[in-house]
Amino acid sequence: MSILFTPVKIGSMTVPNRFVRSATHEYMADDEGNVSTRQVELFRRLAEGEVGLIITGHAFVQTSGKASPRQTAVYDDRFVEGLARIPEAVHAFPSRIFLQIAHAGRQTKEKLCGCIPVSPSAVYDPVSKVMPRELAGEEIQALVVDFIAAAGRARQAGFDGVQLHAAHGYLISSFLSPHTNRRTDEWGGPVENRARVLLEVLRGVKDSCGRGFPTIVKLNSTDFLPGGLTVDDAVEIARMLEAAGIDGIEVSGGMAEAGRGSVWPGLRGEADEGYFVENAARIKRAVGVPVFGLGGIRSLAVAEKIVEEGRADLVSLSRPFIRDPFLVKHFREGLAAGSECISCNKCFNPRGIGCAELKKKR
Ligand SMILES: Cc1cc2nc3c(=O)[nH]c(=O)nc-3n(C[C@H](O)[C@H](O)[C@H](O)COP(=O)(O)O)c2cc1C
Ligand code: SF4
């Protein structure tokens, strides 16, 4: 049997196979951020399709951290009831489900988040065309508290764990990056200071939800920006996270501002698959917790090789599950050897994700 169909432990929890649905913003919540029936159905299908661990799209922990319309909210207790519909649907199957919790930082607009977007430092974002406001020390403390409260809501709603979004230039990632974090207080400067927000959130989640509540991170391994976060920084952060109790690390990278984000278009051929896997392998050599390999993984053979060669413990995919939520089942049954996703990126749809290529074919 392929190693991909063997179970793996994330902290105290067992994931039935090595396939992860990497967090994918569904654009399906209502205007307030309440979970919709369409969203519940999307997650039910991923579970029916045998994805071992499903990670939701990013849910915002403060109103100032809303990144886009139709994004799921987790900033208030009133969202718990709606959120609970997701794990309830998923748990009819062996799959596990984590809520990704996030704050957009400066990668949003005033009209979406209701204030001048915030950041560790006032560094202009040429993509969102935002000059953010620097957060005060007390606001950073409040941010940590709100991330911890959001994790508590996820637990209350029945999620098996949470993923802290520390990638792609969003707020925690912008604390990690020396490009966006120019602070000279305890939240900026050396890597241990830039990682303080993430580490305090992690320790707080573990204290309030219990050490047995699985908490993982999606970590930028590079910003692709001169003066930005480097792989060496990421390795050090991974070591600090492990010491603070992280249960797994999904390795991503990129920042829109660098002109090189996390969702690379136009991949073809097995040689191009797994564009962040080498960074994952470097991090895996430094830590003992499970590491998730990511970035353009499309074929079963490549996925298998990544895990068999010990470069990662799990493989994360996003777009292939938009194309076919039953891909894992199809792999297991021998009905597919690879995803038909061509990485055209036409699935980003503010009215709800979907494969535009598939629609065209039909
Ligand atoms: C429509 C769409 C929405 C995404 N939303 C998120 C998100 O909410 N959080 C996140 O960490 N990454 C998000 N991503 C990035 C994916 O999780 C993944 O890291 C990236 O697409 C590379 O994997 P892939 O080549 O298998 O698609 C999104 C990607 C797509 C295509
Ligand atoms: S639109 Fe379809 S083929 Fe194109 S990237 Fe999205 S899932 Fe893949």
Side-chain angles (χ1 to χ4, degrees), residues 61 101-103 142-152 164-165 172 201 205:
V61 304
I101 56 176
H103 188 296
L143 174 78
V144 170
V145 168
D146 287 344
F147 260 100
I148 297 165
L164 312 175
H165 195 342
I172 295 184
V201 169
V205 172

Side-chain angles (χ1 to χ4, degrees), residues 298 318-324 339-348 354-358:
R298 298 290 176 268
S318 164
R319 289 164 287 180
F321 292 131
I322 300 177
R323 176 80 185 204
D324 178 12
S339 166
E340 289 182 350
C341 169
I342 56 164
S343 301
C344 64
N345 287 354
K346 289 183 194 150
C347 37
F348 281 94
C355 180
E357 277 299 307
L358 198 59

Side-chain angles (χ1 to χ4, degrees), residues 65-96:
K66 182 173 181 175
S68 90
R70 297 177 186 238
Q71 188 184 357
T72 309
V74 63
Y75 66 84
D76 191 272
D77 290 345
R78 72 176 186 275
F79 297 107
V80 171
E81 205 181 313
L83 285 164
R85 296 171 64 198
I86 297 175
E88 194 192 348
V90 166
H91 288 153
F93 302 91
S95 304
R96 303 295 182 152

Side-chain angles (χ1 to χ4, degrees), residues 118-169:
V118 297
S119 191
S121 307
V123 177
Y124 181 71
D125 183 348
V127 176
S128 62
K129 299 194 171 45
V130 159
M131 174 51 98
R133 180 177 67 76
E134 176 174 315
L135 284 164
E138 316 82 72
E139 291 177 302
I140 299 174
Q141 295 287 6
L143 174 78
V144 170
V145 168
D146 287 344
F147 260 100
I148 297 165
R153 288 182 198 111
R155 182 170 181 268
Q156 209 188 330
F159 283 88
D160 298 299
V162 286
Q163 183 179 64
L164 312 175
H165 195 342
H168 313 163

